[in-house]
Amino acid sequence: MARLLHGVDFSRYSERLYVVGADDAMSVDCVRKIEEERVAQGEFFYVGRVPRSRAVGQPWTTAPLTALKCMYHVARIMYVYRPDVVLCNGPGNCVIVGIAAFVPRIVGIKHIPIVYVESFARVHTLSVSGKIMYLLADRFVVQWPYLTDKYPRAEYIPHLV
């Protein structure tokens, strides 16, 4: 995540919202390090912690219930903080965040641009999350040129994360 955020112009976003898994202490530490100097300048950030939408090895039969629980928490955070743009990468929860950002567009409340960065590990095919986010994202970034042949809306930007 840190490498991905190095390209963000923070002056355009004086308030930032990070949504991370409830058990993801490493991402929270990363966010705090990135935000240290900006907080000293009076800028604001919030880390929203949400339950996993699906745990590794969790049976697919129980996944809809945990995904709904995650959606509830993400929707509450998105409602309170009302982001101007969503930048996401990774599996699981990012799909829920993407859906939560897409719903206001459908109902005519607000168009929240969604930028999704597919995993560097996805060389020939998209992840399940990537396949879903390809449908939702305004900008869909891949890190291998071959994927732009298969997915014409994808933008090739090497070595982001």
Side-chain angles (χ1 to χ4, degrees):
M1 177 182 14
R3 283 192 64 193
L4 184 60
L5 291 174
H6 282 293
V8 173
D9 179 4
F10 284 97
S11 67
R12 293 183 64 189
Y13 309 102
S14 61
E15 296 182 5
R16 289 168 296 281
L17 165 65
Y18 299 88
V19 178
V20 300
D23 56 351
D24 188 356
M26 189 169 86
S27 289
V28 174
D29 290 342
C30 179
V31 166
R32 286 198 176 115
K33 286 178 186 166
I34 291 168
E35 291 288 349
E36 276 176 347
E37 61 190 62
R38 288 175 191 81
V39 170
Q41 298 168 0
E43 294 185 19
F44 173 82
F45 78 98
Y46 175 75
V47 178
R49 299 183 97 167
V50 298
R52 282 181 174 260
S53 59
R54 181 177 175 271
V56 175
Q58 178 182 353
W60 285 100
T61 55
T62 61
L65 292 175
T66 54
L68 283 173
K69 181 178 178 183
C70 180
M71 176 59 88
Y72 169 76
H73 289 278
V74 169
R76 284 184 55 197
I77 291 168
M78 300 280 273
Y79 178 77
V80 170
Y81 292 96
R82 301 179 189 243
D84 291 322
V85 66
V86 168
L87 171 64
C88 55
N89 72 316
N93 285 0
C94 84
V95 172
I96 302 298
V97 171
I99 292 169
F102 197 78
V103 168
R105 179 185 314 188
I106 294 171
V107 297
I109 296 172
K110 182 179 184 180
H111 183 280
I112 302 170
I114 303 168
V115 179
Y116 176 79
V117 179
E118 179 62 287
S119 169
F120 180 76
R122 304 310 298 202
V123 178
H124 297 289
T125 61
L126 299 180
S127 62
V128 173
S129 297
K131 289 175 183 173
I132 296 167
M133 292 302 294
Y134 187 76
L135 302 172
L136 302 175
D138 296 283
R139 294 189 66 186
F140 188 90
V141 179
V142 295
Q143 299 178 68
W144 293 96
Y146 172 78
L147 290 170
T148 59
D149 295 336
K150 291 177 80 172
Y151 303 95
R153 281 194 326 101
E155 300 173 48
Y156 167 61
I157 303 175
H159 314 298
L160 280 176
V161 291

